[in-house]
Structure formats: structure tokens, C-alpha cells
Amino acid sequence: MDNRAFKDQIYEQFGRLGKSLASPKRLEMLDVLCQGPRTVESLAVATSQTLANASQHLKVLRTARLVEAEKQGLHVTYRLAGTEVCDFFLAFRHLAESRLAEIERITRLFLDGKNVLEAVDQATLLKRVRSGEALVLDVRPEQEYRNGHIPGALSVPLAELEQRLAELPRDRQVVAYCRGPYCVMAVEAVEILRRHGHKAARLEIGVPDWRALGLPLESQP
Amino acid sequence: MDNRAFKDQIYEQFGRLGKSLASPKRLEMLDVLCQGPRTVESLAVATSQTLANASQHLKVLRTARLVEAEKQGLHVTYRLAGTEVCDFFLAFRHLAESRLAEIERITRLFLDGKNVLEAVDQATLLKRVRSGEALVLDVRPEQEYRNGHIPGALSVPLAELEQRLAELPRDRQVVAYCRGPYCVMAVEAVEILRRHGHKAARLEIGVPDWRALGLPLESQP
DNA sequence: CAAGTAATCAATCATTAGTTTAAATACTTG
DNA sequence: CAAGTATTTAAACTAATGATTGATTACTTG
């Protein structure tokens, strides 16, 4: 094997990894999988695509060894192949945010149409929670909450929020969070809360970012 | 803009970054650019492709804001758009190495055909240099050496090595390094040195990895 | 074991990406 | 300003990718 052949083979392997990151839908699926394992169907729904399509994309991710599949009865559960994959995804997202100004533009455009105001950062959140000024609200599906959440957070999935408003205080600020900066559940939660006269704000980051910051998480079996 | 439209636009942007990492040649170019700025032609030669091709790939990388171009007279010099890009590339490479067993297989297969033996790691290198057991040899082109090198390293570009063997000690081990684990210059240097009766070993990592480990570098204007 | 469900596979089509070659552009220098 | 060099662009072709649809497989449960 000569030098060129060696390099070509090596970079072709790197290219395999790169190619698996070259599709918006696959990246979205990785983002969702950072919250924990999911079945094919639930991934397909979460990312608005057909089952067959989701399955094909998962096959690509599996070939690149980014995800692993486990068959449990009728369902196949996919999970990230390791915590490095989630860390890498966050690094990837971070690089994209730092290089592509369009991302900020699109986000701003989207938020401008919402009654959300600016987000709270994790330092402010921690301070307000400690002083009792704020309550943390996890609006993701309950399964994801059980898989790991911000300590002390209350779980009220977005779908149930409107019915369960009575459980939430009106004298304290409610800080909602969800999967991450591009998951819109917290944005919707804040809109609902504000509409009903609650003081509400949004935490921009999600659980994977929280973990990557080295902050502690709570989880329930 | 509804939620789906927002997500689609956001992940499409992430996809732009992913797509730019989806070609082996582009990844190789990024690897080379981690050593410092280069002209189009020199990149084309380093990665064994035509000028037109190199230019097109650079255009893709520039669109993704991973590299920047500066025209100096007749030449266009490309450089990474920031140190985050080099850090990210190393993280990318690291993930690929950890997930894709093929990479190790190909590397082993390649090295088996060479008279190189195992590599020295940076801790061993530092120890041997301090104790005077070893001399560090930078076999990259001189420009890259000037741009930043391991402290105390001697610069002897691979192309000149055979003529300059007299400058190297025979009583101490010579540890050669180059651009990184998939740059073969250090491997070739060790072969030449061994063939001429020198004690020689290879440092597996390159300057970008050395920097990422937080170890100091020396550079010359 | 038949019916039903979750997931994968296979075939097709439209789109996109990469390579090659040739031509065009931008700049320097005699 | 003509000649030469570095780079980019354009056109043509081939290969690869992603979405869609329908068929198939693997498993559970009545």
C-alpha cells in the first residue's frame, strides 16, 4: 500500500462519518437521540418524516457507528453509540452556530413572532432557583424527564400544560426548558404561561447542554 | 413561520456544515490547513488533486465558513476561519477513530509493511527529551515548522533528510513527527533513519494535537 | 396459526455532488 | 500592454443521495 492509497483509505473513512452528518434529518435525529433512546416510529414522528425514511437514515447513522439498535419485541430502540457522540453533536452544533450567522437570523426571526422575550441563562436560573424566585419546569415528554432532568425541575409535558396550570405558582417566575435551543417546546410553554397570567421565561439550553457544562442532573428509573 | 418550518430551516443550516465535511478530499484539506495557511496550488499538490478540483472544494469550505481566503498578488492563501475549526477537526477525527474500527485496521495494515515499530507518546517523548535520551525532529516543510513546532525540535524536512543525516546524533534516539497520525512523513523519516543505522522512533501525534493537549509550542516569524 | 403491527428492504425517480476538461478572469512583470 | 502564472468558472458527464411507494420480514397476540 503506497502513501496515497493509505491516505485515500483513511480519509474515505473520515468521509463516512462526514457523510452521515450531511443530512438535516439525520442531524435532527441525533439531536433527539441526545435526549435518550427512542423507537423508529417515535423518531419518525418527532422529525416529521415517514417511517421508511427514518429507518433509512438510521441505517446510515448505524453504519457510521453513531447509533446502536436493539430489538425489543416488536420495537427497535435506537440510542447514541456512546456519550462521546452526544458531546460531539454539541460541538458540531456549537461550531455551526459560531460560523453560520444564518442560524441566529432564523432563530431571531422565529422568536420575533412569539411572545417570549429573551432567554434566561443557566447561571441566572441557578441563582433564582436557590433564592426561591423561580421554579424550573421541564416540558419534555415524561420519558425524557425520567431519563435525566435539571435538579428540582417539575415535569409537566407541554401537551398537559394547559390542564395543569393550577399546579404552577403565580407568585414565582416559571422557567421552562426543553430539549435544547432549537426545540420549540419551551417557547410554546412560555407563550401558554404568559397568556394565563404567569410570569414565565425560557431557558435556552437543554439537558444535553446542561450535562456538557458539567452541571448535575437528576434521573428516575 | 411555524415550528416545522423553523426546525427545517435550522437543521438545513446544520446540514450545510455537515455536507462540507462529507468529502474525503475536503477533510484532508482541512487536516493540512490545521498546519497553517496554504495556497490553492500547494493544497492541490498536498492532497493529490487537480487545481480546479481543489479550488472547488475550497469554495465549499468557504461557503460553510470553515476557511477564509486572502488574495496576495497572484496567489490566494487559504486559512482556517478560526482556531475553533482546528479544534473541531481534531474532535471530528477523534470521534471517527473511536467509532470506526476500520481506521485502526487500515493504519495497522499500512505500518505492518514498514520498518517503524510502535510509536512514542507525548509523555514518553517529554521524559526522554528532558533526560537527553532523545532528540525531537520535525520533518514537515520548513514553513510549517516556522509556523509552530514542538519546543527544542530540529527542523529537517523529509526531502532533505537523506542529505543531512550527518547533523543527527547516532548515540541518541531521534523521535520524528509530522502533521499528525495520518501524515506519513514521520513514518518515512524513521525508515530512512533506521536504514542508516540511527535509533529512530515516531511520535504519533502532530502539532495540532500537541497544541490541543495544552502543551507549549515554539514559533518563528 | 392467522391477523396485526413495527421495521426494513427494494425499486424508482429527481436532485445533488464530484471529476474532468477547457475557457475565462485576475494579477504580475518584463 | 503583451506574456505568463494562479485561480476560478463553466459545461458535460457520471456517481451518489434522498424521498416515495409498495412489498417483505420479524415479531406479538388473540
Side-chain angles (χ1 to χ4, degrees):
Chain A
M1 172 160 44
D2 77 351
N3 293 348
R4 200 9 75 185
F6 169 64
K7 287 190 184 176
D8 283 347
Q9 286 182 49
I10 285 289
Y11 288 105
E12 191 185 319
Q13 295 301 316
F14 289 160
R16 274 176 63 193
L17 178 58
K19 281 194 222 300
S20 71
L21 301 171
S23 146
K25 287 292 183 198
R26 284 199 290 272
L27 291 167
E28 190 175 354
M29 293 172 104
L30 284 178
D31 205 354
V32 174
L33 284 170
C34 279
Q35 310 295 320
R38 310 263 289 199
T39 64
V40 181
E41 191 179 16
S42 112
L43 277 165
V45 171
T47 56
S48 305
Q49 56 184 333
T50 63
L51 227 117
N53 237 332
S55 178
Q56 272 180 177
H57 281 309
L58 285 166
K59 193 182 171 187
V60 174
L61 291 173
R62 201 169 40 172
T63 307
R65 308 284 164 81
L66 293 178
V67 305
E68 286 167 355
E70 188 194 356
K71 186 147 197 176
Q72 296 167 318
L74 212 48
H75 295 268
V76 178
T77 302
Y78 280 83
R79 68 188 70 237
L80 295 188
T83 51
E84 325 89 88
V85 179
C86 177
D87 293 342
F88 175 81
F89 178 78
L90 293 176
F92 178 90
R93 204 189 66 195
H94 191 251
L95 184 74
E97 288 165 348
S98 81
R99 316 281 358 140
L100 301 172
E102 285 81 354
I103 291 176
E104 210 195 318
R105 219 203 66 235
I106 293 167
T107 309
R108 222 178 16 240
L109 200 69
F110 175 71
L111 291 178
D112 274 356
K114 307 269 170 180
N115 176 26
V116 187
L117 304 183
E118 72 299 337
V120 167
D121 71 7
Q122 68 275 15
T124 313
L125 176 74
L126 283 169
K127 207 181 64 192
R128 289 193 190 158
V129 168
R130 287 211 189 93
S131 72
E133 287 170 79
L135 171 83
V136 193
L137 189 68
D138 187 321
V139 297
R140 297 174 302 159
E142 205 171 336
Q143 172 59 42
E144 294 177 29
Y145 174 83
R146 265 184 266 124
N147 195 53
H149 58 262
I150 294 180
L154 181 69
S155 169
V156 179
L158 184 59
E160 304 168 18
L161 182 59
E162 211 126 19
Q163 286 95 57
R164 294 175 56 185
L165 283 168
E167 297 174 36
L168 300 174
R170 294 185 151 264
D171 56 333
R172 280 192 289 161
Q173 184 183 46
V174 176
V175 180
Y177 73 88
C178 52
R179 290 174 184 152
Y182 308 108
C183 166
V184 295
M185 294 192 289
V187 170
E188 306 222 307
V190 169
E191 284 201 301
I192 293 174
L193 289 164
R194 288 247 170 95
R195 208 185 307 132
H196 289 85
H198 287 264
K199 283 179 283 184
R202 182 174 71 96
L203 179 69
E204 207 168 12
I205 63 174
V207 166
D209 311 272
W210 184 275
R211 183 190 288 120
L213 284 165
L215 295 167
L217 288 176
E218 258 176 29
S219 61
Q220 277 156 25
Chain B
M1 174 161 39
D2 76 353
N3 293 349
R4 198 14 69 188
F6 169 64
K7 286 190 185 177
D8 283 348
Q9 286 182 48
I10 286 290
Y11 287 104
E12 190 184 320
Q13 295 301 317
F14 289 159
R16 275 177 62 194
L17 179 58
K19 281 194 222 300
S20 72
L21 301 171
S23 145
K25 286 291 183 200
R26 285 199 290 271
L27 291 167
E28 190 175 354
M29 292 172 104
L30 284 177
D31 205 354
V32 173
L33 284 169
C34 280
Q35 310 294 322
R38 308 265 285 200
T39 65
V40 181
E41 191 179 15
S42 112
L43 276 164
V45 171
T47 56
S48 305
Q49 55 184 334
T50 63
L51 234 125
N53 238 332
S55 178
Q56 275 181 171
H57 281 308
L58 285 166
K59 192 181 171 187
V60 174
L61 291 173
R62 201 169 41 171
T63 306
R65 308 284 164 81
L66 292 177
V67 305
E68 287 167 354
E70 187 194 355
K71 187 147 196 176
Q72 296 168 318
L74 211 48
H75 297 266
V76 178
T77 302
Y78 281 82
R79 66 188 71 236
L80 295 188
T83 51
E84 325 90 87
V85 179
C86 177
D87 293 343
F88 175 80
F89 178 78
L90 293 176
F92 178 91
R93 205 189 65 194
H94 191 252
L95 185 74
E97 288 165 348
S98 80
R99 316 281 358 139
L100 302 172
E102 284 82 352
I103 291 176
E104 209 196 320
R105 219 204 65 233
I106 294 166
T107 308
R108 222 179 12 242
L109 199 69
F110 175 70
L111 291 178
D112 274 357
K114 307 271 171 179
N115 175 26
V116 187
L117 304 184
E118 72 300 338
V120 166
D121 71 6
Q122 67 275 13
T124 313
L125 176 74
L126 283 169
K127 207 182 62 192
R128 290 194 190 159
V129 168
R130 287 209 191 94
S131 71
E133 287 169 80
L135 171 83
V136 193
L137 190 68
D138 186 322
V139 297
R140 297 174 302 159
E142 205 171 334
Q143 171 59 43
E144 295 176 28
Y145 174 84
R146 266 184 265 124
N147 195 54
H149 58 263
I150 295 180
L154 181 69
S155 169
V156 179
L158 184 59
E160 303 167 20
L161 183 58
E162 209 125 21
Q163 286 95 59
R164 294 175 57 186
L165 283 167
E167 297 175 37
L168 300 173
R170 295 187 152 262
D171 54 333
R172 282 191 287 162
Q173 183 183 46
V174 176
V175 179
Y177 73 88
C178 54
R179 291 173 183 152
Y182 308 108
C183 167
V184 294
M185 293 191 289
V187 169
E188 306 223 307
V190 169
E191 283 202 300
I192 293 173
L193 289 165
R194 289 248 169 95
R195 208 184 307 131
H196 290 85
H198 288 264
K199 283 179 285 186
R202 182 175 72 96
L203 179 69
E204 206 168 12
I205 64 174
V207 165
D209 311 89
W210 184 273
R211 183 191 287 120
L213 284 166
L215 296 168
L217 288 175
E218 258 175 30
S219 61
Q220 279 157 23

